[in-house]
Amino acid sequence: MGVVDTQRLTKQYPRVRALDDLTLSIPEGITGIVGVNGAGKSTLIKVLLGLLTPTDGSVRVLGMDPVTQGAQVRELVGYMPEHDVLPADVSAAEFVMHMAMMSGLPRNAARERTSDVLRHVGLAEERHRAMGGYSTGMKQRAKLAQAIVHSPQLVLLDEPTNGLDPRARDEMLDLIGRIGHDFGISVAVTSHLLGELERTVDYVVVIDAGRLLRASPTTDLTHTTGNVLVEVLGPPGSDQVVGQALVDRGIQAWPVGDRIEVRLDRPETLDVIRDVVVAQGLGLVRIQEVHHSLEEVFHQAPTGVSA
Amino acid sequence: MSTPRQSVIHDIGYRTFTGRRQSTGAIALSLYLTSLRHCFGLGRSNKSKVMPFLVAALMLIPALVLAGLAIQLKRMSLGDQANYFAPLSNYFGYPYWTQLLITVFAASQAPVLFARDLRYRTIVLYFARPLDRSTYVLVRLAALTTALFAVIAVPMVIWYAAALSSGLDRSQHTKNFFAAIVGVLVLSLILATFSGMVSAITTRSGLAVVAVIVALMLTSGIVTIAQGAVYETGNKSAAMIASMFNPFTLVAELISGLFDQPTPTPAIPHPSTGWTLVFIIVALIWVIGTSWVLVERIRKAASL
């Protein structure tokens, strides 16, 4: 049993069916929830928090039913919303501590954990400044801090990298990785940037129009294609020379930019590549396995449904 | 047997919380106390302390004057004393005559509790926590009611204490004082729900302040004018119907009828038992109606 399990979960709004017969399981660790806007991600989060009652089906969060045990579920679940939720005129230290107490931590524990958590998310001197003056990156950190300050067992992160510059995005992803792997808090993170998720998450759930399209470990989705990418060092056109030499030996090879992608039918092909490069008197910079990207998987998903 | 591990976690600073979590009752109490402090600007910026404490201080002045009068009463001629007996025991006259200050307090502090969370959407974070939505609203309301009650009742207690120590009719003062205190409680509740509702609807603090002041002072002005006009004609029913449209006159009528109290001005007629029942119902409509709108508004605004 995972940290979240849903069985034929359905949420019918007057006009829209936001969740449609959704059966999924989110295991411990970091899970990416992928879906286009309007796929039902937010509805799912609301149901998991016990703020929406599903029309049909059942849902368990940390072994509890959020419909009847909403308060207990919310005590052990953290939530970082997508949009801005921070009051501009309060400092992060005060705010996060207040939120810790609102989750049921006694005052002293709340104070201690606030200072710990703000250090973990990397808000140092700024913690005593009003949050209205924070950069987007700092705001996201403060939002993350309030989501984990009460020592939850599961944290739901809604588009945590939205609006961040590349560096801040990398830092946020590292932070999510630490939360999931080092802090021992299970993470469910939504994003529409698949490249990001690929790096961080252990498990991917793809939903579309309230239905489950796919659920599998990231490694299964990004398994090797059986091809390698070869990069050689030499005068211009060296790659074409090597590529031609490989094709002459009956090996499938084709250019990708200024590198050569080679189909590995047998392990010995690797030796052949090495020999060919050496024979041409060129330098072999690297031979790299080619993986599927989540992007490809996602685009294929509608045809290759595996629930 | 120490085989070097592949991965070493250098930052082992993260600790989980293993203690007991507090009940939702304790969380509600914590929210209540924080909200109450915020009503007086405590735990907020220095600037935000100015208004609540200024109003609270100004509210004390008439009470100190009345207390002084009560103490000085014995030194006055009997004729002068007689002039002061009625106003000195008209405790509900206090909130009635200081209604501008009370309105300013309600208008400036209600948005702190009801507009900010909606404006910044912090409400979403509250609702992702154990307290349920209605409890959150009711706790906030309780805090604002308490703050309003304290601002009005503290000066009245000073006045009452002075009256007791100056040899005035104790039983009459005690009866009027406690009747007025009940009135102040009802009044605080109505003002809290009303200003909270306006704040939650406008969500902008500045707009909410203006809207609450305008709504309360405008109705107060209209009610006063209407009552002044019908006072000449002696049409009590019209005067009483007019009273229903403003919290201050409504509560004045209510406690006048319930506890056989004098009304703050002769233009507000003393109601019969039947009218008192009507005023009870109208007071309930004020409280329950505005609370309902407030709860619904916040529940709706907080959809994630």
Side-chain angles (χ1 to χ4, degrees):
Chain A
M1 201 172 86
V3 287
V4 170
D5 291 283
T6 71
Q7 277 292 328
R8 309 186 62 91
L9 190 64
T10 302
K11 177 67 195 177
Q12 177 74 52
Y13 287 113
R15 280 191 212 123
V16 197
R17 181 165 281 222
L19 297 176
D20 191 4
D21 217 9
L22 182 69
T23 299
L24 61 78
S25 179
I26 295 179
E28 286 186 12
I30 308 179
T31 302
I33 300 174
V34 184
V36 294
N37 294 335
K41 290 175 290 180
S42 326
T43 305
L44 179 62
I45 286 179
K46 276 188 256 185
V47 171
L48 297 184
L49 286 169
L51 300 176
L52 267 187
T53 310
T55 317
D56 200 11
S58 68
V59 55
R60 310 290 286 178
V61 177
L62 302 169
M64 293 179 282
D65 183 351
V67 178
T68 55
Q69 298 168 283
Q72 287 100 308
V73 168
R74 292 194 291 270
E75 203 167 74
L76 295 175
V77 175
Y79 172 51
M80 173 180 175
E82 180 184 357
H83 49 72
D84 205 356
V85 287
L86 303 172
D89 51 356
V90 181
S91 73
E94 274 177 70
F95 181 72
V96 173
M97 178 169 159
H98 176 61
M99 282 297 143
M101 291 178 70
M102 288 299 101
S103 289
L105 260 57
R107 178 171 286 270
N108 285 335
R111 182 176 295 124
E112 210 169 285
R113 282 197 59 85
T114 297
S115 100
D116 276 11
V117 161
L118 286 174
R119 185 166 52 81
H120 284 301
V121 301
L123 277 178
E125 302 83 37
E126 316 83 44
R127 67 172 69 180
H128 296 296
R129 281 196 351 232
M131 294 189 285
Y134 282 12
S135 67
T136 311
M138 282 153 70
K139 281 182 179 164
Q140 292 297 84
R141 285 158 192 264
K143 274 162 64 177
L144 185 60
Q146 67 76 33
I148 59 171
V149 70
H150 53 294
S151 193
Q153 290 172 15
L154 166 69
V155 49
L156 309 171
L157 310 177
D158 203 355
E159 304 277 354
T161 53
N162 235 7
L164 296 181
D165 63 52
R167 215 186 92 200
R169 172 169 301 167
D170 283 348
E171 287 171 353
M172 177 58 72
L173 290 171
D174 286 348
L175 203 50
I176 293 169
R178 276 175 52 212
I179 290 169
H181 297 136
D182 302 349
F183 296 2
I185 303 172
S186 293
V187 179
V189 49
T190 72
S191 181
H192 49 251
L193 295 169
L194 297 148
E196 279 183 358
L197 288 182
E198 197 173 293
R199 268 183 43 194
T200 322
V201 306
D202 309 320
Y203 197 80
V204 178
V205 170
V206 184
I207 54 178
D208 185 51
R211 290 173 158 275
L212 184 73
L213 283 185
R214 186 153 197 162
S216 48
T218 317
T219 45
D220 284 8
L221 294 177
T222 58
H223 56 81
T224 173
T225 50
N227 295 350
V228 291
L229 212 54
V230 180
E231 187 177 342
V232 294
L233 187 68
S238 304
D239 51 316
Q240 287 166 22
V241 176
V242 172
Q244 193 53 52
L246 288 169
V247 172
D248 291 346
R249 281 171 174 73
I251 295 168
Q252 284 183 52
W254 56 96
V256 176
D258 55 0
R259 288 179 287 186
I260 314 132
E261 190 165 340
V262 184
R263 176 99 201 126
L264 281 192
D265 296 321
R266 307 166 288 130
E268 293 80 55
T269 310
L270 288 170
D271 298 336
V272 178
I273 294 169
R274 178 198 60 202
D275 295 342
V276 164
V277 176
V278 171
Q280 301 288 339
L282 298 167
L284 182 57
V285 179
R286 73 172 126 195
I287 299 180
Q288 183 191 348
E289 280 191 316
V290 179
H291 289 268
H292 283 296
S293 73
L294 269 183
E295 200 89 35
E296 290 171 60
V297 175
F298 186 57
H299 289 309
Q300 291 163 4
T303 48
V305 177
S306 68
Chain B
M1 298 303 195
S2 60
T3 43
R5 291 233 195 117
Q6 281 295 307
S7 61
V8 181
I9 300 166
H10 290 288
D11 187 358
I12 53 167
Y14 184 79
R15 290 170 292 178
T16 52
F17 174 72
T18 48
R20 256 178 84 88
R21 285 169 203 266
Q22 295 187 291
S23 64
T24 41
I27 297 173
L29 179 67
S30 164
L31 180 64
Y32 170 78
L33 292 174
T34 310
S35 308
L36 189 55
R37 283 165 50 80
H38 282 185
C39 281
F40 290 96
L42 302 172
R44 292 166 58 211
S45 66
N46 286 329
K47 205 176 67 183
S48 53
K49 293 181 179 66
V50 175
M51 188 53 100
F53 279 99
L54 183 69
V55 171
L58 289 175
M59 283 292 290
L60 281 174
I61 294 171
L64 294 175
V65 172
L66 286 161
L69 265 177
I71 290 165
Q72 297 290 320
L73 208 57
K74 273 179 274 182
R75 300 189 193 161
M76 296 180 191
S77 67
L78 281 176
D80 282 348
Q81 283 190 25
N83 286 340
Y84 285 114
F85 278 149
L88 268 181
S89 66
N90 192 342
Y91 285 90
F92 198 76
Y94 203 79
Y96 183 78
W97 293 114
T98 55
Q99 60 175 282
L100 178 61
L101 283 173
I102 298 168
T103 301
V104 168
F105 187 90
S108 61
Q109 301 313 306
V112 174
L113 300 190
F114 292 101
R116 285 176 74 249
D117 288 344
L118 291 177
R119 163 106 194 269
Y120 295 119
R121 299 187 54 71
T122 315
I123 192 87
V124 170
L125 298 183
Y126 280 102
F127 291 171
R129 291 184 147 71
L131 278 194
D132 71 56
R133 287 169 264 201
S134 310
T135 312
Y136 163 86
V137 177
L138 296 178
V139 166
R140 288 284 211 207
L141 269 181
L144 185 57
T145 306
T146 312
L148 279 162
F149 180 78
V151 165
I152 308 170
V154 167
M156 289 170 64
V157 169
I158 295 173
W159 167 15
Y160 174 59
L164 283 191
S165 61
S166 65
L168 286 161
D169 182 349
R170 285 190 173 218
S171 69
Q172 193 209 358
H173 271 260
T174 304
K175 186 184 173 221
N176 288 7
F177 173 73
F178 283 103
I181 285 293
V182 172
V184 170
L185 196 60
V186 176
L187 180 67
S188 305
L189 194 56
I190 294 179
L191 290 176
T193 52
F194 179 75
S195 53
M197 178 191 76
V198 173
S199 304
I201 290 170
T202 57
T203 73
R204 303 251 154 192
S205 297
L207 194 60
V209 171
V210 174
V212 172
I213 292 181
V214 166
L216 290 177
M217 293 326 292
L218 204 66
T219 52
S220 174
I222 292 170
V223 168
T224 307
I225 291 168
Q227 285 180 337
V230 296
Y231 184 60
E232 304 296 326
T233 65
N235 186 346
K236 280 191 167 189
S237 303
M240 285 193 279
I241 289 170
S243 293
M244 295 170 186
F245 292 94
N246 180 265
F248 293 92
T249 44
L250 168 67
V251 179
E253 292 280 21
L254 183 70
I255 67 147
S256 174
L258 274 181
F259 304 107
D260 191 27
Q261 290 289 302
T263 56
T265 78
I268 304 173
H270 177 75
S272 62
T273 315
W275 275 103
T276 305
L277 279 174
V278 174
F279 283 120
I280 292 174
I281 293 165
V282 174
L284 285 175
I285 292 172
W286 267 90
V287 172
I288 295 170
T290 48
S291 305
W292 184 79
V293 173
L294 179 60
V295 171
E296 283 306 304
R297 162 72 191 160
I298 287 187
R299 287 178 74 101
K300 197 170 187 177
S303 49
L304 303 178

